[in-house]
Amino acid sequence: MARPTSVRIVEMGPRDGLQNEPGVVPLAAKVALIEALADAGLTAIESGSFVSPKWVPQMADTAEVLATIQRREGVRYPVLTPNLKGLELALAAGVTEVAVFAAASEAFSQKNINCSIAESLERFAPVLDLARAHGVAVRGYVSCVLGCPYQGEVPVAKVVEVAEALIAMGCYEVSLGDTIGVGTPDKAKAMARAVADRIGVARTALHFHDTYGQALANVLACLDLGIATVDASVAGLGGCPYAKGASGNLATEDLVYMLNGLNIETGVDLDLLAAAGRAITAALGRAPTSRVAQALAAKAA
Ligand code: HMG
Ligand code: MG
């Protein structure tokens, strides 16, 4: 299949990017980040999580974040909801889209959400039902699609099985998470192809962490399958609290630069995006890890 002519970027910075920050990230910095990302043209900005504040303290102010941002027409602000309690809090905050997250690895499922894969799918079914009743769209994630920090190898068949289960219960798309960034292009493409063959290319999204510097190469390989939805995190922020050593997602600046070069439309203004990345990393007291962000900053200096 040919590469897509446009790619929808789902921005992870405010959620996956910040969830593992050790220090307190002020509410104002989170709100400014989300608004700057919308200014840059991103239309899907994952803005927080309704998870246990004991498990992920950094996301404990998600309701305040959602109450403070100026929501824009045409921009979606999804949040993670692992269970009914999370969805009820999300509904009270007026969300129009949520995401549930399963894993292809039993060990990771236990560490991340304290239950087996099968139990997690059972737990998601009423979440999907209630979301549907409120007209709220639900995205699904599968974590550890190319390897697990606890279990090592993860069979592609398990990834396909979990992705199909999420679609069967009503998720509109499934994002394939290489949580610890160990994948390489041929493996990533084979895994994504196996999933897309079953759930359809249009329902398949990519979520690569850049721990081993492979994320951009993995995206490029999978674009050849026609997949047109890619998750990325501004400035390369991030890491998962239950995947030790996992670094940020693919940096959004790096993704947009590559897609611009390939003449693939994203609707994102790279300069405004890089400015958003500089602002949040300044608030965190460090520099962006995105190579494109560093190159743009050096050129401007
Ligand atoms: P548990 O301890 O088994 O749950 O945790 P529980 O039902 O027994 O509840 C324990 C306590 O948490 C109770 O409070 C509940 O009320 C509260 P207490 O009585 O002790 O005061 N609680 C909640 N509070 C707020 N919101 C909720 C909620 N649910 C229960 N929704 C649970 C199970 C799923 C809650 C927990 O394991 C959890 O919160 N896990 C979240 C882990 C997480 O956020 N991980 C990072 C996101 S996933 C990711 O990064 C991967 C991804 O990026 C893709 C990739 O890279 O692969 C998506
Ligand atoms: Mg992730």
Side-chain angles (χ1 to χ4, degrees), residues 16 207 209 249:
D16 211 351
H207 180 108
H209 284 255
N249 296 83

Side-chain angles (χ1 to χ4, degrees), residues 206-264:
L206 307 168
H207 180 108
F208 293 113
H209 284 255
D210 204 24
T211 321
Y212 289 82
Q214 304 297 301
L216 202 55
N218 291 341
V219 168
L220 183 59
C222 294
L223 286 179
D224 288 337
L225 300 170
I227 295 174
T229 303
V230 183
D231 300 354
S233 174
V234 70
L237 294 174
C240 175
Y242 299 100
K244 203 164 177 266
S247 71
N249 296 83
L250 166 61
T252 317
E253 296 92 322
D254 296 3
L255 176 63
V256 169
Y257 182 86
M258 180 182 80
L259 295 174
N260 284 349
L262 294 170
N263 281 324
I264 296 175

Side-chain angles (χ1 to χ4, degrees), residues 10-148:
V10 182
E11 171 59 44
M12 292 288 130
R15 196 278 303 171
D16 211 351
L18 295 182
Q19 69 183 7
N20 205 28
E21 275 299 318
V24 177
V25 181
L27 178 73
K30 293 179 178 178
V31 169
L33 171 63
I34 293 168
E35 295 189 342
L37 291 166
D39 285 342
L42 286 148
T43 55
I45 305 170
E46 207 166 73
S47 297
S49 305
F50 287 101
V51 299
S52 162
K54 287 184 192 138
W55 286 62
V56 185
Q58 192 60 257
M59 293 289 107
D61 61 354
T62 294
E64 286 91 332
V65 169
L66 291 173
T68 311
I69 54 171
Q70 295 276 346
R71 291 185 216 190
R72 314 268 169 94
E73 193 75 33
V75 180
R76 295 164 88 157
Y77 303 92
V79 293
L80 297 189
T81 54
N83 52 21
L84 268 178
K85 175 163 186 168
L87 178 60
E88 280 157 8
L89 293 168
L91 290 172
V95 303
T96 57
E97 177 168 342
V98 299
V100 294
F101 45 109
S105 143
E106 282 297 348
F108 186 78
S109 185
Q110 290 291 351
K111 297 276 185 191
N112 193 37
I113 49 176
N114 205 23
C115 63
S116 69
I117 298 170
E119 284 163 350
S120 74
L121 295 172
E122 272 168 39
R123 203 177 273 179
F124 297 153
V127 175
L128 269 288
D129 289 344
L130 184 62
R132 194 177 300 115
H134 284 82
V136 165
V138 185
R139 186 178 212 227
Y141 286 97
V142 185
S143 287
C144 297
V145 295
L146 292 166
C148 167

Side-chain angles (χ1 to χ4, degrees), residues 1 3 145-146 156 176 183-197 204 206 208 217-227:
M1 202 166 169
R3 283 181 192 156
V145 295
L146 292 166
V156 169
L176 300 168
T184 44
D186 285 356
K187 274 193 182 169
K189 189 175 181 180
M191 179 279 301
R193 189 199 305 272
V195 173
D197 279 351
T204 306
L206 307 168
F208 293 113
N218 291 341
V219 168
L220 183 59
C222 294
L223 286 179
D224 288 337
L225 300 170
I227 295 174

